[in-house]
Amino acid sequence: QQQVKQSPQSLIVQKGGISIINCAYENTAFDYFPWYQQFPGKGPALLIAIRPDVSEKKEGRFTISFNKSAKQFSLHIMDSQPGDSATYFCAASLLNYGGSQGNLIFGKGTKLSVKP
Amino acid sequence: SQTIHQWPATLVQPVGSPLSLECTVEGTSNPNLYWYRQAAGRGLQLLFYSIGIDQISSEVPQNLSASRPQDRQFILSSKKLLLSDSGFYLCAWSPSGGHEQFFGPGTRLTVL
């Protein structure tokens, strides 16, 4: 019930292409879905997040698509650039769950390589 | 603006030695604080979280402990390190009652 399943594990995209990473969750009570970007040796950085009352959120080249009925959400990176090469993590949380104060449940990550 | 610091950045310790990693947050008050561990090429494992001073919850039973002696200070400790404690340790904070978590730069721990 608390898992977030992320795919693919790794992804290679040509420069200028679209990168798509998918996540699926089980707990329908989750109410916050962020994506994090992590470069080697650095801490994850919050990239973009969505709540279940909207189906899409766009920030620059990054878009989250959210399908509540399918319990899935995805990250789309348009016009992918070599500088986007990083590991991406999806996550989900429930603000109040047994007093956990919104602890994030993370997917296992996707290593994205954008080839020039 | 808020900033989060972790130190040391890297640490090499022998098996059986003690550990103390420190995390501090600036520019906010009463944050929720978190310790995560990330094994090489793996995801993020939540170790501890804290909603206030001396209020610590453990997610995974292990060789580690956490303390929060001040509102914006979070410490991860061990009395005797194991080889399996090696990894990338990340501290994070979120505003009280908020969802967004912001991570520190991490500490790379190698236990030999």
Side-chain angles (χ1 to χ4, degrees), chain B residues 55-70:
Chain B
Q55 295 179 276
I56 313 290
S57 295
S58 173
E59 289 293 300
V60 181
Q62 62 223 315
N63 184 40
L64 302 169
S65 62
S67 62
R68 185 171 177 174
Q70 300 180 39

PDB file of all heavy atoms in Angstrom, chain B residues 55-70:
ATOM      1  N   GLN B  55      11.981  15.023  19.759  1.00  0.00           N
ATOM      2  CA  GLN B  55      10.908  14.183  19.221  1.00  0.00           C
ATOM      3  C   GLN B  55      11.421  13.500  17.968  1.00  0.00           C
ATOM      4  O   GLN B  55      11.419  14.071  16.874  1.00  0.00           O
ATOM      5  CB  GLN B  55       9.664  15.030  18.895  1.00  0.00           C
ATOM      6  CG  GLN B  55       9.017  15.667  20.101  1.00  0.00           C
ATOM      7  CD  GLN B  55       7.815  16.504  19.708  1.00  0.00           C
ATOM      8  OE1 GLN B  55       7.957  17.653  19.328  1.00  0.00           O
ATOM      9  NE2 GLN B  55       6.640  15.937  19.805  1.00  0.00           N
ATOM     10  N   ILE B  56      11.872  12.258  18.140  1.00  0.00           N
ATOM     11  CA  ILE B  56      12.508  11.507  17.062  1.00  0.00           C
ATOM     12  C   ILE B  56      11.727  10.232  16.823  1.00  0.00           C
ATOM     13  O   ILE B  56      11.356   9.542  17.775  1.00  0.00           O
ATOM     14  CB  ILE B  56      13.958  11.108  17.428  1.00  0.00           C
ATOM     15  CG1 ILE B  56      14.732  12.292  18.000  1.00  0.00           C
ATOM     16  CG2 ILE B  56      14.661  10.499  16.207  1.00  0.00           C
ATOM     17  CD1 ILE B  56      15.067  13.359  17.021  1.00  0.00           C
ATOM     18  N   SER B  57      11.497   9.924  15.557  1.00  0.00           N
ATOM     19  CA  SER B  57      10.875   8.652  15.201  1.00  0.00           C
ATOM     20  C   SER B  57      11.818   7.883  14.307  1.00  0.00           C
ATOM     21  O   SER B  57      12.430   8.460  13.400  1.00  0.00           O
ATOM     22  CB  SER B  57       9.542   8.882  14.485  1.00  0.00           C
ATOM     23  OG  SER B  57       8.622   9.495  15.333  1.00  0.00           O
ATOM     24  N   SER B  58      11.935   6.595  14.558  1.00  0.00           N
ATOM     25  CA  SER B  58      12.811   5.744  13.781  1.00  0.00           C
ATOM     26  C   SER B  58      11.985   4.927  12.793  1.00  0.00           C
ATOM     27  O   SER B  58      10.958   4.364  13.169  1.00  0.00           O
ATOM     28  CB  SER B  58      13.582   4.803  14.702  1.00  0.00           C
ATOM     29  OG  SER B  58      14.313   3.859  13.950  1.00  0.00           O
ATOM     30  N   GLU B  59      12.425   4.909  11.547  1.00  0.00           N
ATOM     31  CA  GLU B  59      11.716   4.158  10.520  1.00  0.00           C
ATOM     32  C   GLU B  59      12.280   2.750  10.343  1.00  0.00           C
ATOM     33  O   GLU B  59      11.559   1.845   9.946  1.00  0.00           O
ATOM     34  CB  GLU B  59      11.780   4.894   9.183  1.00  0.00           C
ATOM     35  CG  GLU B  59      10.930   6.147   9.144  1.00  0.00           C
ATOM     36  CD  GLU B  59       9.452   5.830   9.211  1.00  0.00           C
ATOM     37  OE1 GLU B  59       8.947   5.133   8.321  1.00  0.00           O
ATOM     38  OE2 GLU B  59       8.789   6.272  10.177  1.00  0.00           O
ATOM     39  N   VAL B  60      13.556   2.602  10.610  1.00  0.00           N
ATOM     40  CA  VAL B  60      14.211   1.319  10.349  1.00  0.00           C
ATOM     41  C   VAL B  60      15.098   0.976  11.534  1.00  0.00           C
ATOM     42  O   VAL B  60      16.003   1.730  11.859  1.00  0.00           O
ATOM     43  CB  VAL B  60      15.067   1.375   9.066  1.00  0.00           C
ATOM     44  CG1 VAL B  60      15.709   0.023   8.812  1.00  0.00           C
ATOM     45  CG2 VAL B  60      14.249   1.821   7.877  1.00  0.00           C
ATOM     46  N   PRO B  61      14.856  -0.157  12.207  1.00  0.00           N
ATOM     47  CA  PRO B  61      15.736  -0.543  13.315  1.00  0.00           C
ATOM     48  C   PRO B  61      17.136  -0.841  12.803  1.00  0.00           C
ATOM     49  O   PRO B  61      17.307  -1.500  11.802  1.00  0.00           O
ATOM     50  CB  PRO B  61      15.070  -1.805  13.876  1.00  0.00           C
ATOM     51  CG  PRO B  61      14.187  -2.296  12.806  1.00  0.00           C
ATOM     52  CD  PRO B  61      13.764  -1.109  11.995  1.00  0.00           C
ATOM     53  N   GLN B  62      18.147  -0.294  13.449  1.00  0.00           N
ATOM     54  CA  GLN B  62      19.507  -0.428  12.937  1.00  0.00           C
ATOM     55  C   GLN B  62      20.513   0.001  13.987  1.00  0.00           C
ATOM     56  O   GLN B  62      20.175   0.241  15.131  1.00  0.00           O
ATOM     57  CB  GLN B  62      19.667   0.457  11.706  1.00  0.00           C
ATOM     58  CG  GLN B  62      19.472   1.924  12.045  1.00  0.00           C
ATOM     59  CD  GLN B  62      18.628   2.619  11.010  1.00  0.00           C
ATOM     60  OE1 GLN B  62      18.825   2.444   9.826  1.00  0.00           O
ATOM     61  NE2 GLN B  62      17.689   3.409  11.460  1.00  0.00           N
ATOM     62  N   ASN B  63      21.718   0.160  13.494  1.00  0.00           N
ATOM     63  CA  ASN B  63      22.855   0.483  14.335  1.00  0.00           C
ATOM     64  C   ASN B  63      22.992   1.982  14.589  1.00  0.00           C
ATOM     65  O   ASN B  63      23.971   2.426  15.164  1.00  0.00           O
ATOM     66  CB  ASN B  63      24.108  -0.051  13.604  1.00  0.00           C
ATOM     67  CG  ASN B  63      25.353   0.122  14.383  1.00  0.00           C
ATOM     68  OD1 ASN B  63      25.355  -0.077  15.591  1.00  0.00           O
ATOM     69  ND2 ASN B  63      26.425   0.524  13.714  1.00  0.00           N
ATOM     70  N   LEU B  64      22.035   2.777  14.171  1.00  0.00           N
ATOM     71  CA  LEU B  64      22.151   4.216  14.213  1.00  0.00           C
ATOM     72  C   LEU B  64      21.132   4.817  15.159  1.00  0.00           C
ATOM     73  O   LEU B  64      20.102   4.207  15.462  1.00  0.00           O
ATOM     74  CB  LEU B  64      21.941   4.795  12.804  1.00  0.00           C
ATOM     75  CG  LEU B  64      22.889   4.296  11.716  1.00  0.00           C
ATOM     76  CD1 LEU B  64      22.396   4.742  10.344  1.00  0.00           C
ATOM     77  CD2 LEU B  64      24.298   4.793  11.964  1.00  0.00           C
ATOM     78  N   SER B  65      21.395   6.040  15.604  1.00  0.00           N
ATOM     79  CA  SER B  65      20.446   6.795  16.422  1.00  0.00           C
ATOM     80  C   SER B  65      20.479   8.242  15.977  1.00  0.00           C
ATOM     81  O   SER B  65      21.408   8.675  15.284  1.00  0.00           O
ATOM     82  CB  SER B  65      20.796   6.680  17.903  1.00  0.00           C
ATOM     83  OG  SER B  65      22.085   7.232  18.161  1.00  0.00           O
ATOM     84  N   ALA B  66      19.457   8.980  16.340  1.00  0.00           N
ATOM     85  CA  ALA B  66      19.383  10.392  15.970  1.00  0.00           C
ATOM     86  C   ALA B  66      18.992  11.206  17.193  1.00  0.00           C
ATOM     87  O   ALA B  66      18.316  10.719  18.092  1.00  0.00           O
ATOM     88  CB  ALA B  66      18.387  10.602  14.835  1.00  0.00           C
ATOM     89  N   SER B  67      19.427  12.462  17.180  1.00  0.00           N
ATOM     90  CA  SER B  67      19.057  13.377  18.250  1.00  0.00           C
ATOM     91  C   SER B  67      18.823  14.755  17.676  1.00  0.00           C
ATOM     92  O   SER B  67      19.348  15.111  16.616  1.00  0.00           O
ATOM     93  CB  SER B  67      20.160  13.424  19.328  1.00  0.00           C
ATOM     94  OG  SER B  67      21.371  13.901  18.770  1.00  0.00           O
ATOM     95  N   ARG B  68      18.014  15.511  18.351  1.00  0.00           N
ATOM     96  CA  ARG B  68      17.701  16.885  17.936  1.00  0.00           C
ATOM     97  C   ARG B  68      17.808  17.772  19.173  1.00  0.00           C
ATOM     98  O   ARG B  68      16.810  18.081  19.815  1.00  0.00           O
ATOM     99  CB  ARG B  68      16.304  16.962  17.310  1.00  0.00           C
ATOM    100  CG  ARG B  68      15.965  18.330  16.756  1.00  0.00           C
ATOM    101  CD  ARG B  68      14.662  18.265  15.973  1.00  0.00           C
ATOM    102  NE  ARG B  68      14.271  19.593  15.492  1.00  0.00           N
ATOM    103  CZ  ARG B  68      13.236  19.798  14.681  1.00  0.00           C
ATOM    104  NH1 ARG B  68      12.493  18.771  14.289  1.00  0.00           N
ATOM    105  NH2 ARG B  68      12.936  21.010  14.285  1.00  0.00           N
ATOM    106  N   PRO B  69      19.011  18.201  19.485  1.00  0.00           N
ATOM    107  CA  PRO B  69      19.202  18.987  20.696  1.00  0.00           C
ATOM    108  C   PRO B  69      18.712  20.422  20.588  1.00  0.00           C
ATOM    109  O   PRO B  69      18.434  21.059  21.616  1.00  0.00           O
ATOM    110  CB  PRO B  69      20.733  18.949  20.881  1.00  0.00           C
ATOM    111  CG  PRO B  69      21.276  18.710  19.522  1.00  0.00           C
ATOM    112  CD  PRO B  69      20.274  17.865  18.813  1.00  0.00           C
ATOM    113  N   GLN B  70      18.632  20.935  19.363  1.00  0.00           N
ATOM    114  CA  GLN B  70      18.121  22.292  19.136  1.00  0.00           C
ATOM    115  C   GLN B  70      17.122  22.260  17.992  1.00  0.00           C
ATOM    116  O   GLN B  70      17.091  21.299  17.211  1.00  0.00           O
ATOM    117  CB  GLN B  70      19.269  23.254  18.801  1.00  0.00           C
ATOM    118  CG  GLN B  70      20.341  23.371  19.877  1.00  0.00           C
ATOM    119  CD  GLN B  70      21.446  24.322  19.487  1.00  0.00           C
ATOM    120  OE1 GLN B  70      21.200  25.377  18.887  1.00  0.00           O
ATOM    121  NE2 GLN B  70      22.675  23.975  19.828  1.00  0.00           N
TER     122      GLN B  70
END
